[in-house]
Amino acid sequence: MKYTKSGGQTGAGPKEWFTGTVQIDGIRNPDEQSAIGCAHVRFAPGARTAWHRHPKGQTLYVTDGIGLVARRGGEVQEIRPGDVVYIEPGEEHWHGATPERFMAHVAMHEADENGEVVTWLDHVTDEEYGAPDQATA
């Protein structure tokens, strides 16, 4: 068993990877014991990732707020606390908060044989972000 005490610092999401205000708390990075990487990510209203893909896929567990997720060529879907989203390996996608609400999720992914967990692509445009009707939010 390996126990790590809380004490890490919250970091701002890099502008190359995100639009808007995003805060990241690292949970674990892949290492010699496990290829699993994990982080708790919090998005301010309107904030979102850039398009990206994961060589071994990604699982998102929504912890708070109301968010959005989409795959390249697909429709924008709303996500809420308790929802689990699995993104297939290599699938280009983005995720973030709705325009009016914050959203937080735990993001889990696995490193490939080269230690890579993500490839960042272009930023999501406002048109692509096109949040679904928020009347029910």
Side-chain angles (χ1 to χ4, degrees), residues 21-97:
T21 302
V22 177
Q23 300 294 321
I24 303 171
D25 288 310
I27 297 172
R28 82 167 323 278
N29 290 316
D31 58 22
E32 64 284 345
Q33 295 175 335
S34 174
I36 300 297
C38 186
H40 188 222
V41 186
R42 293 182 302 262
F43 298 82
R48 57 205 182 255
T49 68
W51 287 102
H52 62 287
R53 64 180 177 256
H54 301 273
K56 298 273 192 163
Q58 182 180 48
T59 299
L60 305 175
Y61 175 72
V62 182
T63 58
D64 294 291
I66 301 174
L68 302 170
V69 64
R71 63 186 168 104
R72 187 87 71 173
E75 292 186 22
V76 176
Q77 297 182 314
E78 186 178 276
I79 52 178
R80 291 177 173 260
D83 289 352
V84 176
V85 180
Y86 175 69
I87 296 108
E88 296 285 341
E91 184 173 56
E92 293 184 9
H93 68 286
W94 65 267
H95 33 99

Side-chain angles (χ1 to χ4, degrees), residues 64-132:
D64 294 291
I66 301 174
L68 302 170
V69 64
R71 63 186 168 104
R72 187 87 71 173
E75 292 186 22
V76 176
Q77 297 182 314
E78 186 178 276
I79 52 178
R80 291 177 173 260
D83 289 352
V84 176
V85 180
Y86 175 69
I87 296 108
E88 296 285 341
E91 184 173 56
E92 293 184 9
H93 68 286
W94 65 267
H95 33 99
T98 63
E100 296 86 19
R101 299 284 301 269
F102 78 95
M103 187 273 293
H105 63 49
V106 174
M108 299 161 272
H109 38 260
E110 185 177 353
D112 67 10
E113 53 281 348
N114 299 316
E116 298 297 320
V117 295
V118 63
T119 300
W120 291 101
L121 305 166
D122 50 310
H123 281 272
V124 173
T125 65
D126 289 343
E127 184 177 320
E128 290 169 324
Y129 177 65

